[in-house]
């Protein structure tokens, strides 16, 4: 049996498709998308605040979304999802849609995007360092602990294979690296090898990373590192 909320949502989608009761247009570039204020406000904290708190846009027939991170294609997918409950994304547009949904504070679409990322990238082993960094940052921003744990577990399992790669040294930031180093399931031959990889990461962008060096080194179990390697690396003017 179809639930009352599903019937209501289906009716709203039908009204939108037929152009009935439309009271606002959302403009990105040269494209304008028709919608209902009540549906937008119910689905998005961004639009609720806009319409409820007397902002100038609350009385405009057409609201221009000028944020450069929101494309017309992404907005269409977000709006279609708001009205249908289904999210039509793929590997090529998932991040673009997620950025738009995040900016517009459409929680339901953000969650669906994160579910897609976990299923398609994390669980299916199609996971590289740049994807890890992007997913990790998104999970942090939204407090998505399950997605964060899944991404970290995956990275920890391949750490010894990727920790000295150009991609890893370029893209992983101090917070992401610190969390990774703190895990008990980090895959590495020894704590000495972990320490050496940390020093390599610091030296890769030395001027920039010296300010966070102590924090990242502090995540290494230094008591298990060969004392000779510690002295060699840390007994310098820079360190």
């Amino acid at each position: 049996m179809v639930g009352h909320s599903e019937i209501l949502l289906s009716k709203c989608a039908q009204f939108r498709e037929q152009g009935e009761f439309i009271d606002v247009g959302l403009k990105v570039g040269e494209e304008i998308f028709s919608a209902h204020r009540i549906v937008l406000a119910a689905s998005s904290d961004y639009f609720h605040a806009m319409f409820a708190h007397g902002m100038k846009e609350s009385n405009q027939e057409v609201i221009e979304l000028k944020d450069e991170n929101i494309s017309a294609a992404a907005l269409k997918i977000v709006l279609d999802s708001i009205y249908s409950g289904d999210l039509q994304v793929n590997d090529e547009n998932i991040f673009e849609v997620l950025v738009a949904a995040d900016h517009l504070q459409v929680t339901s679409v953000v969650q669906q995007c994160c579910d897609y990322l976990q299923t398609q990238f994390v669980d299916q082993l199609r996971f590289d360092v740049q994807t890890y960094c992007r997913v990790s940052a998104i999970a942090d921003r939204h407090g998505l602990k399950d997605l964060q744990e899944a991404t970290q577990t995956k990275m920890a399992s391949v750490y010894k294979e990727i920790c000295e790669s150009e991609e890893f040294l370029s893209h992983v930031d101090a917070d992401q690296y610190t969390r990774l180093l703190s895990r008990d399931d980090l895959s590495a031959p020894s704590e000495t090898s972990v320490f050496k990889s940390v020093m390599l990461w610091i030296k890769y962008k030395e001027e920039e990373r010296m300010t966070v060096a102590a924090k990242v080194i502090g995540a290494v179990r230094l008591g298990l590192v060969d004392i000779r390697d510690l002295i060699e690396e840390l007994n310098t003017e820079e360190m």
Side-chain angles (χ1 to χ4, degrees):
M1 182 176 178
V2 180
H4 175 72
S5 59
E6 292 180 62
I7 295 174
L8 183 60
L9 191 62
S10 176
K11 274 293 184 183
C12 289
Q14 182 181 332
F15 292 151
R16 175 176 174 242
E17 185 176 341
Q18 296 173 350
E20 295 185 281
F21 311 112
I22 296 297
D23 56 3
V24 69
L26 302 179
K27 184 178 181 181
V28 174
E30 298 302 316
E31 295 193 52
I32 298 177
F33 301 90
S34 300
H36 304 93
R37 293 176 192 269
I38 188 66
V39 175
L40 296 179
S43 306
S44 159
D45 291 342
Y46 176 93
F47 286 115
H48 181 268
M50 179 183 290
F51 299 146
H53 298 152
M55 298 174 65
K56 66 177 183 178
E57 291 88 352
S58 61
N59 296 316
Q60 292 178 348
E61 291 185 7
V62 176
I63 298 170
E64 186 172 4
L65 302 176
K66 298 180 179 180
D67 190 285
E68 61 183 17
N69 292 318
I70 300 178
S71 69
L75 178 62
K76 181 181 185 306
I77 292 172
V78 172
L79 286 175
D80 288 347
S81 180
I82 286 175
Y83 277 90
S84 70
D86 296 324
L87 183 66
Q88 301 298 319
V89 292
N90 54 46
D91 292 358
E92 284 69 42
N93 64 22
I94 180 63
F95 286 107
E96 183 181 18
V97 173
L98 181 52
V99 167
D102 180 31
H103 179 82
L104 298 175
Q105 300 174 45
V106 185
T107 306
S108 61
V109 175
V110 170
Q111 183 61 61
Q112 285 178 292
C113 286
C114 290
D115 291 344
Y116 179 95
L117 287 172
Q118 180 159 342
T119 301
Q120 298 300 319
F121 285 97
V122 183
D123 296 345
Q124 298 299 321
L125 302 178
R126 297 187 293 110
F127 204 57
D128 58 29
V129 175
Q130 290 189 57
T131 301
Y132 163 73
C133 293
R134 297 179 77 177
V135 173
S136 178
I138 289 162
D140 263 356
R141 189 180 306 125
H142 297 285
L144 301 167
K145 295 181 179 179
D146 289 344
L147 182 59
Q148 185 67 272
E149 175 62 23
T151 59
Q152 289 182 16
T153 297
K154 183 64 63 180
M155 283 297 286
S157 70
V158 298
Y159 179 77
K160 64 183 178 182
E161 285 84 26
I162 54 89
C163 65
E164 296 184 3
S165 68
E166 185 83 15
E167 193 178 29
F168 185 92
L169 297 173
S170 299
H171 294 289
V172 173
D173 67 29
D175 289 335
Q176 291 166 342
Y177 204 3
T178 301
R179 283 195 297 267
L180 198 58
L181 293 169
S182 301
R183 295 184 65 88
D184 292 331
D185 59 351
L186 190 69
S187 174
S190 67
E191 204 66 21
T192 296
S193 71
V194 172
F195 173 70
K196 288 182 176 180
S197 64
V198 167
M199 296 307 299
L200 185 64
W201 177 86
I202 294 170
K203 292 174 182 177
Y204 188 81
K205 295 181 180 179
E206 188 167 346
E207 184 174 344
E208 171 187 330
R209 291 173 174 170
M210 282 302 294
T211 57
V212 295
K215 175 183 177 180
V216 179
I217 292 172
V220 180
R221 296 166 176 83
L222 295 177
L224 300 177
V225 178
D226 189 304
I227 188 64
R228 291 166 297 184
D229 291 296
L230 277 175
I231 293 172
E232 181 181 348
E233 292 287 356
L234 299 182
N235 190 25
T236 65
E237 183 176 350
E238 293 82 1
M239 299 304 298

